[in-house]
Short mmCIF file of all heavy atoms in Angstrom, two decimals:
data_model
loop_
_atom_site.label_atom_id
_atom_site.label_comp_id
_atom_site.label_asym_id
_atom_site.label_seq_id
_atom_site.Cartn_x
_atom_site.Cartn_y
_atom_site.Cartn_z
N MET X 1 52.55 164.74 75.03
CA MET X 1 53.09 163.64 75.75
C MET X 1 53.06 162.35 75.01
O MET X 1 52.00 162.12 74.45
CB MET X 1 52.44 163.39 77.09
CG MET X 1 52.92 162.30 77.85
SD MET X 1 52.12 162.24 79.45
CE MET X 1 52.26 160.52 79.78
N LYS X 2 54.20 161.73 74.72
CA LYS X 2 54.08 160.46 73.94
C LYS X 2 53.95 159.23 74.89
O LYS X 2 54.56 159.24 75.98
CB LYS X 2 55.51 160.40 73.19
CG LYS X 2 55.64 161.45 72.13
CD LYS X 2 56.64 161.14 71.20
CE LYS X 2 56.76 162.14 70.04
NZ LYS X 2 56.21 161.75 68.87
N ILE X 3 53.25 158.34 74.42
CA ILE X 3 53.18 157.08 75.05
C ILE X 3 54.23 156.10 74.62
O ILE X 3 54.83 156.29 73.48
CB ILE X 3 51.66 156.45 75.04
CG1 ILE X 3 51.38 156.25 73.59
CG2 ILE X 3 50.84 157.45 75.72
CD1 ILE X 3 49.96 155.65 73.42
N GLU X 4 54.43 155.01 75.31
CA GLU X 4 55.49 154.08 74.98
C GLU X 4 55.31 153.50 73.51
O GLU X 4 56.21 153.31 72.86
CB GLU X 4 55.64 152.95 75.98
CG GLU X 4 56.94 152.26 75.81
CD GLU X 4 57.28 151.59 77.08
OE1 GLU X 4 57.11 152.16 78.20
OE2 GLU X 4 57.83 150.45 76.97
N GLY X 5 54.09 153.12 73.15
CA GLY X 5 53.75 152.67 71.74
C GLY X 5 54.22 153.58 70.79
O GLY X 5 54.71 153.24 69.62
N ASP X 6 54.15 154.92 70.99
CA ASP X 6 54.54 155.85 69.90
C ASP X 6 56.06 155.84 69.78
O ASP X 6 56.62 155.83 68.67
CB ASP X 6 54.11 157.32 70.36
CG ASP X 6 52.60 157.51 70.17
OD1 ASP X 6 52.00 156.71 69.53
OD2 ASP X 6 52.20 158.38 70.88
N LYS X 7 56.82 155.65 70.89
CA LYS X 7 58.30 155.54 70.82
C LYS X 7 58.66 154.38 69.99
O LYS X 7 59.58 154.37 69.20
CB LYS X 7 58.75 155.49 72.21
CG LYS X 7 58.76 156.84 73.04
CD LYS X 7 59.33 156.66 74.41
CE LYS X 7 59.02 157.99 75.17
NZ LYS X 7 59.59 157.90 76.55
N ALA X 8 58.01 153.20 70.21
CA ALA X 8 58.33 151.94 69.56
C ALA X 8 58.05 152.18 68.04
O ALA X 8 58.95 151.71 67.31
CB ALA X 8 57.52 150.79 70.06
N GLU X 9 57.00 152.90 67.75
CA GLU X 9 56.80 152.96 66.40
C GLU X 9 57.79 153.99 65.71
O GLU X 9 58.17 153.79 64.54
CB GLU X 9 55.24 153.51 66.09
CG GLU X 9 54.97 153.65 64.66
CD GLU X 9 53.47 153.96 64.40
OE1 GLU X 9 52.69 153.82 65.23
OE2 GLU X 9 53.26 154.50 63.33
N GLU X 10 58.18 155.01 66.43
CA GLU X 10 59.14 155.95 65.94
C GLU X 10 60.41 155.35 65.60
O GLU X 10 61.03 155.39 64.60
CB GLU X 10 59.44 157.18 66.85
CG GLU X 10 58.26 158.18 66.78
CD GLU X 10 58.52 159.26 67.82
OE1 GLU X 10 59.59 159.37 68.30
OE2 GLU X 10 57.48 159.93 68.08
N SER X 11 60.81 154.37 66.60
CA SER X 11 62.11 153.71 66.25
C SER X 11 62.03 152.64 65.29
O SER X 11 63.00 152.42 64.53
CB SER X 11 62.57 152.98 67.68
OG SER X 11 61.67 152.01 68.07
N LEU X 12 60.86 152.01 65.11
CA LEU X 12 60.70 151.16 63.98
C LEU X 12 60.63 151.89 62.61
O LEU X 12 61.25 151.27 61.68
CB LEU X 12 59.27 150.44 64.21
CG LEU X 12 59.00 149.20 63.29
CD1 LEU X 12 60.07 148.20 63.50
CD2 LEU X 12 57.64 148.63 63.63
N GLN X 13 60.23 153.03 62.65
CA GLN X 13 60.21 153.78 61.27
C GLN X 13 61.70 154.09 60.87
O GLN X 13 61.97 154.33 59.64
CB GLN X 13 59.51 155.11 61.47
CG GLN X 13 58.06 154.95 61.58
CD GLN X 13 57.29 156.26 61.65
OE1 GLN X 13 57.87 157.30 62.06
NE2 GLN X 13 55.97 156.22 61.41
N GLU X 14 62.67 154.09 61.69
CA GLU X 14 64.02 154.44 61.39
C GLU X 14 64.73 153.13 61.00
O GLU X 14 65.90 153.22 60.64
CB GLU X 14 64.68 154.99 62.61
CG GLU X 14 64.19 156.39 63.12
CD GLU X 14 64.69 156.82 64.40
OE1 GLU X 14 65.47 156.17 64.95
OE2 GLU X 14 64.16 158.00 64.86
N LYS X 15 64.18 152.05 61.08
CA LYS X 15 64.67 150.68 60.68
C LYS X 15 64.68 150.43 59.15
O LYS X 15 63.94 151.14 58.55
CB LYS X 15 64.05 149.55 61.41
CG LYS X 15 63.93 149.67 62.92
CD LYS X 15 65.40 149.41 63.45
CE LYS X 15 65.22 149.46 65.01
NZ LYS X 15 66.47 149.38 65.66
N THR X 16 65.46 149.57 58.75
CA THR X 16 65.53 149.15 57.33
C THR X 16 64.27 148.41 57.03
O THR X 16 63.54 147.81 58.00
CB THR X 16 66.72 148.28 56.98
OG1 THR X 16 66.56 147.00 57.70
CG2 THR X 16 68.04 148.92 57.37
N ASP X 17 63.97 148.20 55.75
CA ASP X 17 62.74 147.45 55.31
C ASP X 17 62.94 146.06 55.85
O ASP X 17 61.84 145.43 56.38
CB ASP X 17 62.70 147.36 53.76
CG ASP X 17 62.05 148.61 53.24
OD1 ASP X 17 61.63 149.49 54.03
OD2 ASP X 17 62.19 148.85 52.06
N ALA X 18 64.07 145.37 55.86
CA ALA X 18 64.24 144.01 56.37
C ALA X 18 63.90 143.96 57.76
O ALA X 18 63.24 142.96 58.30
CB ALA X 18 65.69 143.65 56.16
N GLU X 19 64.29 145.02 58.60
CA GLU X 19 63.99 144.96 60.04
C GLU X 19 62.52 145.26 60.25
O GLU X 19 61.92 144.62 61.16
CB GLU X 19 64.92 146.10 60.71
CG GLU X 19 66.26 145.85 60.76
CD GLU X 19 67.19 146.95 61.17
OE1 GLU X 19 66.88 148.10 60.75
OE2 GLU X 19 68.20 146.73 61.95
N VAL X 20 61.94 146.08 59.51
CA VAL X 20 60.44 146.32 59.67
C VAL X 20 59.73 145.07 59.33
O VAL X 20 58.77 144.70 59.90
CB VAL X 20 60.04 147.49 58.81
CG1 VAL X 20 58.56 147.65 58.90
CG2 VAL X 20 60.78 148.84 59.35
N PHE X 21 60.17 144.35 58.17
CA PHE X 21 59.46 143.11 57.84
C PHE X 21 59.61 142.12 58.90
O PHE X 21 58.59 141.41 59.12
CB PHE X 21 60.11 142.70 56.50
CG PHE X 21 59.39 141.52 55.90
CD1 PHE X 21 58.17 141.69 55.27
CD2 PHE X 21 59.87 140.23 55.89
CE1 PHE X 21 57.50 140.67 54.70
CE2 PHE X 21 59.22 139.16 55.31
CZ PHE X 21 58.03 139.36 54.73
N ALA X 22 60.66 142.08 59.59
CA ALA X 22 60.96 141.06 60.60
C ALA X 22 60.00 141.41 61.83
O ALA X 22 59.49 140.51 62.55
CB ALA X 22 62.45 141.09 61.08
N ALA X 23 59.82 142.74 62.10
CA ALA X 23 58.91 143.08 63.17
C ALA X 23 57.47 142.69 62.70
O ALA X 23 56.71 142.35 63.57
CB ALA X 23 59.01 144.71 63.42
N LEU X 24 57.16 142.90 61.51
CA LEU X 24 55.88 142.44 61.10
C LEU X 24 55.61 141.04 61.26
O LEU X 24 54.61 140.58 61.79
CB LEU X 24 55.62 142.78 59.61
CG LEU X 24 54.16 142.47 59.03
CD1 LEU X 24 53.05 143.13 59.65
CD2 LEU X 24 54.22 142.85 57.51
N LYS X 25 56.68 140.15 60.88
CA LYS X 25 56.59 138.66 61.21
C LYS X 25 56.49 138.43 62.65
O LYS X 25 55.90 137.44 63.05
CB LYS X 25 57.86 138.02 60.47
CG LYS X 25 57.76 138.07 59.01
CD LYS X 25 58.89 137.48 58.35
CE LYS X 25 59.64 136.34 58.86
NZ LYS X 25 60.75 135.75 58.22
N ALA X 26 57.07 139.26 63.46
CA ALA X 26 56.98 138.97 64.84
C ALA X 26 55.60 139.45 65.52
O ALA X 26 55.48 139.33 66.71
CB ALA X 26 58.12 139.77 65.52
N GLY X 27 54.68 140.08 64.73
CA GLY X 27 53.50 140.38 65.17
C GLY X 27 53.21 141.79 65.42
O GLY X 27 52.21 142.22 66.03
N ARG X 28 54.20 142.68 65.16
CA ARG X 28 54.10 144.09 65.41
C ARG X 28 53.30 144.75 64.32
O ARG X 28 53.87 145.02 63.18
CB ARG X 28 55.43 144.80 65.58
CG ARG X 28 56.06 144.30 66.89
CD ARG X 28 57.38 144.86 67.01
NE ARG X 28 57.33 146.38 67.24
CZ ARG X 28 58.36 147.20 67.28
NH1 ARG X 28 59.55 146.73 67.14
NH2 ARG X 28 58.14 148.45 67.54
N SER X 29 52.00 144.81 64.40
CA SER X 29 51.05 145.31 63.42
C SER X 29 51.43 146.68 62.90
O SER X 29 51.11 146.98 61.74
CB SER X 29 49.61 145.21 63.82
OG SER X 29 49.38 146.10 64.84
N GLN X 30 52.02 147.59 63.60
CA GLN X 30 52.31 148.94 63.18
C GLN X 30 53.36 148.83 62.04
O GLN X 30 53.48 149.69 61.25
CB GLN X 30 52.74 149.83 64.25
CG GLN X 30 54.04 149.48 64.86
CD GLN X 30 54.01 148.61 66.12
OE1 GLN X 30 53.15 147.72 66.23
NE2 GLN X 30 54.96 148.59 66.96
N ALA X 31 54.08 147.78 62.01
CA ALA X 31 55.15 147.57 60.95
C ALA X 31 54.44 147.48 59.61
O ALA X 31 54.94 148.00 58.52
CB ALA X 31 55.93 146.29 61.12
N LEU X 32 53.19 146.91 59.42
CA LEU X 32 52.53 146.83 58.16
C LEU X 32 52.25 148.39 57.71
O LEU X 32 52.41 148.74 56.54
CB LEU X 32 51.18 146.12 58.30
CG LEU X 32 50.36 146.02 57.00
CD1 LEU X 32 51.27 145.41 55.82
CD2 LEU X 32 49.18 145.29 57.27
N ALA X 33 51.80 149.30 58.59
CA ALA X 33 51.54 150.61 58.26
C ALA X 33 52.77 151.28 57.71
O ALA X 33 52.81 152.06 56.82
CB ALA X 33 51.06 151.45 59.44
N ILE X 34 53.87 151.02 58.25
CA ILE X 34 55.18 151.67 57.84
C ILE X 34 55.51 151.13 56.44
O ILE X 34 55.92 151.87 55.61
CB ILE X 34 56.25 151.29 58.89
CG1 ILE X 34 56.01 152.15 60.15
CG2 ILE X 34 57.67 151.68 58.21
CD1 ILE X 34 56.91 151.62 61.35
N LEU X 35 55.38 149.84 56.29
CA LEU X 35 55.75 149.26 54.90
C LEU X 35 54.77 149.82 53.83
O LEU X 35 55.16 150.03 52.74
CB LEU X 35 55.65 147.60 54.99
CG LEU X 35 56.86 147.07 55.72
CD1 LEU X 35 56.54 145.55 55.87
CD2 LEU X 35 58.14 147.30 55.05
N TYR X 36 53.48 149.93 54.27
CA TYR X 36 52.49 150.54 53.31
C TYR X 36 52.88 151.96 52.94
O TYR X 36 53.01 152.29 51.75
CB TYR X 36 51.12 150.51 54.02
CG TYR X 36 50.09 151.02 52.97
CD1 TYR X 36 49.31 150.02 52.30
CD2 TYR X 36 49.69 152.36 52.77
CE1 TYR X 36 48.29 150.49 51.34
CE2 TYR X 36 48.72 152.73 51.99
CZ TYR X 36 48.03 151.72 51.24
OH TYR X 36 47.13 152.18 50.34
N ASP X 37 53.20 152.70 53.91
CA ASP X 37 53.63 154.17 53.65
C ASP X 37 54.90 154.16 52.70
O ASP X 37 55.01 155.00 51.85
CB ASP X 37 53.93 154.76 54.98
CG ASP X 37 52.75 155.15 55.74
OD1 ASP X 37 51.56 155.03 55.17
OD2 ASP X 37 52.91 155.49 56.91
N ARG X 38 55.80 153.20 53.00
CA ARG X 38 57.00 153.16 52.17
C ARG X 38 56.82 152.71 50.69
O ARG X 38 57.45 153.23 49.75
CB ARG X 38 58.06 152.32 52.87
CG ARG X 38 58.64 152.98 54.02
CD ARG X 38 59.68 152.01 54.54
NE ARG X 38 60.19 152.55 55.90
CZ ARG X 38 61.07 151.98 56.71
NH1 ARG X 38 61.74 150.77 56.23
NH2 ARG X 38 61.49 152.37 57.81
N HIS X 39 55.93 151.82 50.49
CA HIS X 39 55.89 151.04 49.27
C HIS X 39 54.63 151.03 48.48
O HIS X 39 54.51 150.62 47.32
CB HIS X 39 56.19 149.61 49.48
CG HIS X 39 57.70 149.42 50.04
ND1 HIS X 39 58.77 149.75 49.33
CD2 HIS X 39 58.10 149.14 51.27
CE1 HIS X 39 59.83 149.65 49.99
NE2 HIS X 39 59.51 149.16 51.33
N ALA X 40 53.57 151.74 49.11
CA ALA X 40 52.29 151.67 48.37
C ALA X 40 52.38 152.44 47.03
O ALA X 40 51.75 152.12 46.03
CB ALA X 40 51.24 152.31 49.27
N GLY X 41 53.16 153.48 47.03
CA GLY X 41 53.21 154.37 45.83
C GLY X 41 53.86 153.54 44.69
O GLY X 41 53.38 153.65 43.49
N LEU X 42 54.91 152.74 44.95
CA LEU X 42 55.49 152.00 43.92
C LEU X 42 54.54 150.73 43.44
O LEU X 42 54.33 150.68 42.20
CB LEU X 42 56.81 151.31 44.50
CG LEU X 42 57.45 150.33 43.59
CD1 LEU X 42 57.92 150.99 42.30
CD2 LEU X 42 58.70 149.62 44.38
N VAL X 43 53.89 150.22 44.36
CA VAL X 43 52.89 149.04 44.03
C VAL X 43 51.83 149.72 43.16
O VAL X 43 51.40 149.21 42.16
CB VAL X 43 52.42 148.49 45.41
CG1 VAL X 43 51.21 147.43 44.99
CG2 VAL X 43 53.57 147.73 46.04
N TYR X 44 51.37 151.00 43.63
CA TYR X 44 50.21 151.49 42.92
C TYR X 44 50.65 151.95 41.48
O TYR X 44 49.96 151.69 40.47
CB TYR X 44 49.76 152.74 43.63
CG TYR X 44 48.72 153.62 42.90
CD1 TYR X 44 47.38 153.16 42.83
CD2 TYR X 44 49.08 154.81 42.27
CE1 TYR X 44 46.48 153.92 42.14
CE2 TYR X 44 48.14 155.62 41.77
CZ TYR X 44 46.82 155.20 41.60
OH TYR X 44 45.94 155.91 40.89
N GLY X 45 51.82 152.50 41.36
CA GLY X 45 52.36 152.99 39.95
C GLY X 45 52.49 151.80 39.05
O GLY X 45 52.10 151.84 37.84
N ILE X 46 52.98 150.73 39.60
CA ILE X 46 53.19 149.42 38.72
C ILE X 46 51.82 148.89 38.39
O ILE X 46 51.58 148.53 37.15
CB ILE X 46 53.96 148.43 39.40
CG1 ILE X 46 55.48 148.81 39.54
CG2 ILE X 46 53.89 146.93 38.62
CD1 ILE X 46 56.30 148.01 40.39
N ALA X 47 50.81 148.91 39.34
CA ALA X 47 49.49 148.44 39.05
C ALA X 47 48.74 149.34 38.07
O ALA X 47 48.11 148.80 37.18
CB ALA X 47 48.71 148.30 40.35
N CYS X 48 48.95 150.69 38.17
CA CYS X 48 48.29 151.55 37.11
C CYS X 48 48.86 151.23 35.82
O CYS X 48 48.03 151.15 34.77
CB CYS X 48 48.69 152.98 37.38
SG CYS X 48 47.64 153.76 38.69
N LYS X 49 50.08 150.98 35.57
CA LYS X 49 50.62 150.75 34.28
C LYS X 49 50.18 149.35 33.61
O LYS X 49 49.96 149.23 32.51
CB LYS X 49 52.20 150.75 34.28
CG LYS X 49 52.72 152.17 34.54
CD LYS X 49 54.29 152.18 34.34
CE LYS X 49 54.68 153.65 34.71
NZ LYS X 49 56.09 153.73 34.46
N MET X 50 50.06 148.42 34.56
CA MET X 50 49.70 147.09 34.15
C MET X 50 48.12 147.05 33.95
O MET X 50 47.76 146.42 32.94
CB MET X 50 49.95 146.08 35.20
CG MET X 50 51.57 145.69 35.43
SD MET X 50 51.86 144.55 36.62
CE MET X 50 51.17 143.13 35.87
N LEU X 51 47.37 147.74 34.69
CA LEU X 51 45.98 147.63 34.59
C LEU X 51 45.21 148.70 33.69
O LEU X 51 44.11 148.49 33.18
CB LEU X 51 45.30 147.57 35.98
CG LEU X 51 45.77 146.46 36.91
CD1 LEU X 51 45.24 146.68 38.29
CD2 LEU X 51 45.19 145.11 36.32
N GLY X 52 46.00 149.82 33.80
CA GLY X 52 45.36 150.94 32.91
C GLY X 52 44.14 151.61 33.64
O GLY X 52 43.41 152.36 32.99
N SER X 53 43.94 151.34 34.85
CA SER X 53 42.77 151.92 35.53
C SER X 53 43.21 152.28 37.03
O SER X 53 43.71 151.45 37.79
CB SER X 53 41.64 150.76 35.67
OG SER X 53 40.68 151.21 36.65
N THR X 54 42.97 153.48 37.37
CA THR X 54 43.40 153.91 38.67
C THR X 54 42.61 153.30 39.77
O THR X 54 43.08 152.91 40.84
CB THR X 54 43.35 155.56 38.80
OG1 THR X 54 42.01 155.90 38.49
CG2 THR X 54 44.23 156.13 37.95
N ALA X 55 41.26 153.13 39.49
CA ALA X 55 40.47 152.55 40.49
C ALA X 55 40.91 151.05 40.80
O ALA X 55 40.91 150.53 41.97
CB ALA X 55 38.90 152.51 40.14
N GLU X 56 41.15 150.26 39.70
CA GLU X 56 41.67 148.90 39.90
C GLU X 56 42.95 148.89 40.54
O GLU X 56 43.22 147.95 41.31
CB GLU X 56 41.65 148.23 38.57
CG GLU X 56 40.21 147.88 37.91
CD GLU X 56 40.29 147.10 36.68
OE1 GLU X 56 41.32 146.51 36.37
OE2 GLU X 56 39.22 147.25 35.99
N ALA X 57 43.83 149.82 40.20
CA ALA X 57 45.13 149.83 40.82
C ALA X 57 45.05 150.07 42.26
O ALA X 57 45.84 149.57 43.11
CB ALA X 57 46.02 150.95 40.09
N GLU X 58 44.19 151.01 42.68
CA GLU X 58 43.99 151.29 44.12
C GLU X 58 43.52 150.06 44.89
O GLU X 58 44.12 149.75 45.94
CB GLU X 58 43.00 152.34 44.33
CG GLU X 58 43.43 153.77 43.95
CD GLU X 58 42.38 154.79 43.96
OE1 GLU X 58 41.16 154.50 44.25
OE2 GLU X 58 42.68 156.01 43.52
N ASP X 59 42.55 149.30 44.29
CA ASP X 59 42.14 148.06 44.84
C ASP X 59 43.17 147.08 45.00
O ASP X 59 43.35 146.37 46.05
CB ASP X 59 40.97 147.53 44.08
CG ASP X 59 39.59 148.34 44.22
OD1 ASP X 59 39.63 149.12 45.10
OD2 ASP X 59 38.73 148.19 43.38
N LEU X 60 43.88 146.94 43.92
CA LEU X 60 45.00 145.87 43.94
C LEU X 60 46.09 146.26 44.87
O LEU X 60 46.61 145.40 45.60
CB LEU X 60 45.58 145.71 42.51
CG LEU X 60 46.66 144.72 42.39
CD1 LEU X 60 46.14 143.34 42.68
CD2 LEU X 60 47.29 144.78 40.87
N THR X 61 46.46 147.48 45.09
CA THR X 61 47.46 148.03 45.91
C THR X 61 47.02 147.58 47.43
O THR X 61 47.77 146.97 48.14
CB THR X 61 47.72 149.40 45.89
OG1 THR X 61 48.15 149.77 44.54
CG2 THR X 61 48.75 149.94 46.87
N GLN X 62 45.81 147.87 47.81
CA GLN X 62 45.29 147.46 49.02
C GLN X 62 45.26 146.01 49.24
O GLN X 62 45.62 145.49 50.37
CB GLN X 62 43.85 148.09 49.23
CG GLN X 62 43.92 149.55 49.51
CD GLN X 62 42.56 150.12 49.98
OE1 GLN X 62 41.53 149.62 49.47
NE2 GLN X 62 42.47 151.06 50.87
N ASP X 63 44.85 145.34 48.20
CA ASP X 63 44.77 143.83 48.35
C ASP X 63 46.17 143.28 48.53
O ASP X 63 46.35 142.31 49.41
CB ASP X 63 44.15 143.28 47.16
CG ASP X 63 42.70 143.56 47.05
OD1 ASP X 63 42.05 143.91 47.94
OD2 ASP X 63 42.09 143.31 45.74
N ILE X 64 47.14 143.74 47.78
CA ILE X 64 48.38 143.19 47.90
C ILE X 64 48.99 143.54 49.38
O ILE X 64 49.55 142.45 49.88
CB ILE X 64 49.36 143.67 46.75
CG1 ILE X 64 49.09 143.17 45.42
CG2 ILE X 64 50.91 143.45 47.12
CD1 ILE X 64 49.72 143.96 44.34
N LEU X 65 48.89 144.63 49.86
CA LEU X 65 49.53 144.96 51.08
C LEU X 65 48.76 144.38 52.15
O LEU X 65 49.33 143.86 53.30
CB LEU X 65 49.66 146.48 51.26
CG LEU X 65 50.83 146.97 50.29
CD1 LEU X 65 50.83 148.52 50.14
CD2 LEU X 65 52.20 146.42 50.63
N PHE X 66 47.41 144.23 52.00
CA PHE X 66 46.63 143.59 53.07
C PHE X 66 46.94 142.08 53.12
O PHE X 66 47.06 141.61 54.28
CB PHE X 66 45.13 143.71 52.70
CG PHE X 66 44.22 143.00 53.71
CD1 PHE X 66 44.02 143.54 54.98
CD2 PHE X 66 43.65 141.82 53.37
CE1 PHE X 66 43.17 142.91 55.82
CE2 PHE X 66 42.88 141.08 54.35
CZ PHE X 66 42.60 141.63 55.55
N GLU X 67 47.14 141.42 51.98
CA GLU X 67 47.54 140.03 51.95
C GLU X 67 48.78 139.84 52.65
O GLU X 67 49.12 138.83 53.39
CB GLU X 67 47.44 139.48 50.60
CG GLU X 67 46.17 139.27 49.99
CD GLU X 67 45.28 138.22 50.77
OE1 GLU X 67 45.93 137.23 51.15
OE2 GLU X 67 44.13 138.42 50.93
N LEU X 68 49.81 140.75 52.42
CA LEU X 68 51.03 140.63 53.05
C LEU X 68 50.88 140.61 54.50
O LEU X 68 51.49 139.79 55.28
CB LEU X 68 52.02 141.79 52.59
CG LEU X 68 53.29 141.93 53.26
CD1 LEU X 68 54.18 140.63 52.94
CD2 LEU X 68 54.03 143.16 53.03
N GLY X 69 50.10 141.56 55.04
CA GLY X 69 49.90 141.56 56.50
C GLY X 69 49.22 140.41 57.07
O GLY X 69 49.56 139.92 58.09
N SER X 70 48.16 140.07 56.34
CA SER X 70 47.37 138.87 56.91
C SER X 70 48.06 137.60 56.84
O SER X 70 47.86 136.66 57.72
CB SER X 70 45.97 138.83 56.17
OG SER X 70 46.19 138.46 54.83
N PHE X 71 48.94 137.44 55.76
CA PHE X 71 49.72 136.31 55.73
C PHE X 71 50.67 136.13 56.96
O PHE X 71 51.02 135.08 57.34
CB PHE X 71 50.43 136.36 54.35
CG PHE X 71 51.40 135.09 54.11
CD1 PHE X 71 50.92 133.87 53.86
CD2 PHE X 71 52.78 135.37 54.26
CE1 PHE X 71 51.81 132.80 53.71
CE2 PHE X 71 53.66 134.27 54.07
CZ PHE X 71 53.18 133.00 53.81
N LEU X 72 51.22 137.24 57.27
CA LEU X 72 52.39 137.19 58.39
C LEU X 72 51.77 137.33 59.71
O LEU X 72 52.42 136.93 60.69
CB LEU X 72 53.31 138.34 58.10
CG LEU X 72 54.14 138.13 56.85
CD1 LEU X 72 54.96 139.45 56.57
CD2 LEU X 72 54.94 136.98 56.83
N LEU X 73 50.63 137.95 59.94
CA LEU X 73 50.12 138.16 61.32
C LEU X 73 49.28 137.17 61.80
O LEU X 73 48.69 136.31 61.35
CB LEU X 73 49.32 139.59 61.38
CG LEU X 73 50.15 140.75 61.18
CD1 LEU X 73 49.27 142.06 61.20
CD2 LEU X 73 51.33 140.96 62.18
#
């Protein structure tokens, strides 16, 4: 059985990045998880190339996406 919050998240997952970002700005915290899932790999890949360290790249990826969320929420 699905609860209403699950339905809202499912419908949000079908939205464009711009729509998910707008939902994040509107205070829908599940939007951050969706953006993280969509873009963490790219951010991590760029960080790895720039830093040359997987551990530092992991930390930076989390920091960047956390800051995005905390800035908007």
